[in-house]
Amino acid sequence: MEASKSRTEEPDCRFSSYLGPIRLLHWGPIIAIIIILWISIFTVYCDLMFWPIDSDGGITNLAIFLTWVSLVFYHHYRASAIGPGFVPLKWKPRNPKDCDKLQFCLTCQGYKAPRSHHCRKCNRCVMKMDHHCPWINVCCGHMNHASFTYFLFFAPVGCIHAFYILAMSLYYGFNIRWYIQFGDGTEPRVIFSLYTLIGSMFAIGLAFGIIISVGILLIVQTKAIWRNRTGIEDWIEQKSTYRDRDDDFVYPYDLGVRRNISQVLFTSNGWPKSNGFYWDVKEGCTQFDLTIEQKLQKADKKARSLEYVGIKNYSGSFFPITHGPCVCCCFPWSDEPRVPIAPGDRISVTRWRKRWLYGDKIFSQSKIGDNSVPRERGWFPKHCVASVAENNGSGDGKCKKN
């Protein structure tokens, strides 16, 4: 099935995650804007001395740099303001038979469209979610993938230009006395005060850092676009090779490099081709192949889980000082939630660390299958629970303390 055949059957969600400039009022975008402004201001300050606008090519050089800055700000704002596109709350497919092929989101009280995943930070199901980016204060996903990639492209390009101007200005500034005495008078006269020198050196350090760090992110996102595969989908595809199966898993959305790129970049109307609900797929594949594979992987994960019962109270703190220095200092390096534990709580554990466990709370039998009950999962200290002894030979159903 191709996306164009079902485009008119679903709501237009291009602005479903639009929040405008309000989304910039967060520490991530604010820091990003301050860094861009700092580099830009000191680069222009140095450029006016290193390459004055009344000299040959001076105004052209300045115009080119300001163009990079404008494009960085524009695509940063667009990626943040438009957002990735959210699946409507309580959404379900037109064909009721497709519900069995999709995952249900307890938080959004609706089905997850193909390629969508729930983001804990946005608290919504995100279309073609790649990751949550603090620098734009929203996820990188379907609707803003192109703008986010352009932002990652123009930021290092602008910083390379800025790095050259700042480096040359600092060179001439440090050697200004030599050029005054022995130069031929054609060299740039770059003069720094203490504060502008410190600011320029800090700016060149920031520019170098952005060239490296954002450049790496650009490579990652470019790879995701030409393979038409997000980071989450790449992880699902990798895990498919380890799962017991009768056939090889075929990733359904890889249409070839040219078509993959055209799904996101260089589109005629500036928006991605898919409507976020249905996608162009490889011949012989269906819309739901990836979702079905993920559901099978989660079923395998659940089958391997172990049940624990709470024996001590845990408040859900990221740094539980009252549980001892070893637990407090050996916490998981993750922004995943912590789940409070009380004596008697039952938890299905799927991940283990030396002093921490990760799992889902098991609700009473009356609540199982009730989609209105929110899911509670996260990390908690290992010593706050005991494993439930099942088939351990005793048959008494008692708990075995860790």
Side-chain angles (χ1 to χ4, degrees), residues 144-183:
N144 64 352
H145 201 176
S147 291
F148 185 74
T149 304
Y150 289 137
F151 165 67
L152 297 182
F153 173 77
F154 288 116
V157 169
C159 283
I160 290 172
H161 195 168
F163 185 88
Y164 171 76
I165 294 173
L166 290 166
M168 296 303 296
S169 298
L170 289 169
Y171 172 79
Y172 282 108
F174 284 131
N175 296 281
I176 184 65
R177 290 188 178 181
W178 189 93
Y179 283 111
I180 291 175
Q181 293 181 10
F182 304 104

Side-chain angles (χ1 to χ4, degrees), residues 122-138:
C122 298
N123 201 33
R124 290 289 298 272
C125 286
V126 175
M127 294 177 172
K128 204 186 80 171
M129 176 182 172
D130 185 85
H131 69 285
H132 186 92
C133 178
W135 308 115
I136 60 175
N137 191 27
V138 75

